[in-house]
Amino acid sequence: MPGGSPTSKEREREDAEAREREKEEQAKLPYKWTQTIKDLDVVVPVAGNLKGKDIEVVMTKTKLKVAVKGQEAAIDGDLTHSILVDESAWTLETVSGGGKEVSIHLDKSNKMEWWDAVVTNAEYKIDTSKVVPENSKLGDLDGETRGMVEKMMYDQRQKEMGKPTSEEQGKMDMLKKFQAQHPEMDFSNVKMS
């Protein structure tokens, strides 16, 4: 439909093409990375004959550098968002086939945001609006967020059953209390909105 919004089939095709392009772009990076809402893991392949002393990893709240000493860094730049350095770590691990990899775990400072890249100078970024989060448990949420989600879930169930939401119930309870305090008043025509 020229000039109109795309159909669901067109949108699905465009999303699939974007995912494939993103996958191809990410494969060109000298490292692989994955994330959850709370943390980020980066893997940098290196030669199998290297030892920990041959690897240079500099990790600060806002920067990351990963390099084999004497070589160009695989990652060197400002992090997309800040990390908790004391909760982050790196290891050198042997992988099948005789190679090794530097495995870096970054604990996000803000546990409620997706990163579009590991570092701001990354050649390729992902579309965070298309990230499909893993299922989380209410217990994983902080108290305030959990309370808000539980209230929303309760209100949704109430609406589905044709019953008042917590806000509507609060208004009705307030009206009943007011009626009890003022029996001389006529409330027969009161409408709640």
Side-chain angles (χ1 to χ4, degrees):
M1 203 162 94
S5 60
T7 65
S8 63
K9 287 258 188 260
E10 288 171 328
R11 213 173 7 262
E12 282 176 27
R13 184 181 47 75
E14 288 169 5
D15 286 350
E17 287 172 2
R19 276 193 305 275
E20 190 57 36
R21 183 174 52 255
E22 201 170 84
K23 192 173 154 186
E24 289 170 8
E25 290 173 351
Q26 292 297 310
K28 294 176 187 174
L29 294 172
Y31 55 89
K32 302 275 179 258
W33 67 285
T34 57
Q35 68 179 316
T36 68
I37 196 73
K38 295 179 178 183
D39 54 31
L40 194 122
D41 291 300
V42 183
V43 175
V44 180
V46 294
N49 63 335
L50 297 177
K51 305 227 179 297
K53 65 182 181 181
D54 301 318
I55 307 296
E56 179 185 8
V57 176
V58 179
M59 206 182 307
T60 70
K61 183 177 182 174
T62 58
K63 293 187 180 298
L64 178 65
K65 178 179 180 182
V66 181
V68 172
K69 289 181 181 170
Q71 296 181 17
E72 186 180 334
I75 305 172
D76 188 6
D78 293 329
L79 291 166
T80 302
H81 299 285
S82 64
I83 61 166
L84 301 171
V85 178
D86 291 343
E87 303 298 320
S88 301
W90 71 275
T91 58
L92 180 62
E93 300 173 6
T94 302
V95 293
S96 60
K100 290 188 178 178
E101 59 188 25
V102 179
S103 183
I104 305 137
H105 175 79
L106 303 175
D107 204 45
K108 296 178 179 179
S109 292
N110 181 343
K111 308 231 182 275
M112 297 302 290
E113 69 187 344
W114 295 106
W115 293 22
D116 63 354
V118 178
V119 286
T120 56
N121 62 351
E123 194 173 343
Y124 305 106
K125 301 188 186 299
I126 64 167
D127 180 355
T128 57
S129 68
K130 304 287 188 207
V131 172
V132 179
E134 71 280 2
N135 289 333
S136 59
K137 301 172 197 71
L138 281 176
D140 293 344
L141 303 173
D142 63 75
E144 185 180 337
T145 306
R146 179 180 178 163
M148 189 170 58
V149 170
E150 286 176 338
K151 179 183 178 296
M152 290 167 53
M153 290 168 62
Y154 171 82
D155 288 344
Q156 183 63 35
R157 280 193 304 271
Q158 290 293 95
K159 277 185 178 178
E160 287 171 0
M161 294 187 292
K163 295 182 177 177
T165 64
S166 53
E167 190 175 310
E168 294 165 343
Q169 186 64 49
K171 288 178 183 177
M172 292 189 319
D173 292 346
M174 200 181 316
L175 177 62
K176 284 179 186 169
K177 184 177 177 184
F178 189 77
Q179 286 174 322
Q181 292 171 344
H182 300 279
E184 74 282 358
M185 296 179 78
D186 177 20
F187 292 94
S188 58
N189 293 324
V190 171
K191 300 237 186 319
M192 295 296 290
S193 61

